Amino acid sequence: MNSTFLHGLPSEGVDRLMACSREVSFPSGTRIFDEGDPADRFWIIRTGTVTLDLQAHGRRAGTVETLGHGDLLGWSWLVPPYDWRLGAEAFSLVRAHEFDARPVRALCDLDPAFGLALTRRVLEVVAHRLQATRIRLLDLYAPHGSGVMQVPR
């Protein structure tokens, strides 16, 4: 499997991980998950695009990032209480590998080296998404967009 997310992980662990997956597809416009729902699975996108969105009171959901080929969709399955922190919708027809979170967490427990490597990859994704969300929110709500704010002394 050619995936940006899996690149650099130990190959034997990737083989065991892929054995926990199944192929799925989502038609364009399908709501894949909503913020606050139980996070019991995740996906690696093969084709298509998915938008991640954030609900804001009194406003429609704002897109914070668009994901595509090779990207990880969903990280909340790894962190208790296992509830989605964002929402996701298929922007176009999406084909993906779907993983049930419980066996993947068990695999990480059985193979701590692979579990650490996978957790680090997920953390890289989370850090990137946090920065993307920060920039998007600044663009939406800050008086002057995402530029550096000067603080008077």
Side-chain angles (χ1 to χ4, degrees), residues 57-103:
H57 294 290
R59 297 176 181 249
R60 66 181 187 83
T63 298
V64 294
E65 191 166 6
T66 302
L67 308 178
H69 171 73
D71 287 335
L72 173 69
L73 172 58
W75 55 264
S76 300
W77 60 273
L78 188 60
V79 181
Y82 309 120
D83 293 329
W84 294 118
R85 302 321 196 280
L86 298 170
E89 186 171 310
F91 184 76
S92 64
L93 172 64
V94 173
R95 289 187 173 87
H97 292 282
E98 181 178 82
F99 300 82
D100 186 331
R102 285 182 194 251

Side-chain angles (χ1 to χ4, degrees), residues 101-147:
R102 285 182 194 251
V104 173
R105 288 192 301 260
L107 172 65
C108 291
D109 290 342
L110 289 172
D111 183 349
F114 179 74
L116 178 59
L118 182 64
T119 301
R120 284 182 173 160
R121 286 294 294 132
V122 172
L123 183 56
E124 289 173 13
V125 169
V126 172
H128 172 80
R129 300 228 174 111
L130 179 61
Q131 182 65 11
T133 301
R134 177 185 168 274
I135 290 169
R136 179 72 176 138
L137 290 173
L138 285 172
D139 286 342
L140 289 173
Y141 300 113
H144 302 291
S146 60

Side-chain angles (χ1 to χ4, degrees), residues 12-30:
E12 59 280 350
V14 170
D15 292 342
R16 288 191 301 271
L17 178 66
M18 292 308 297
C20 297
S21 74
R22 68 184 186 106
E23 293 187 17
V24 297
S25 62
F26 301 102
S28 178
T30 301

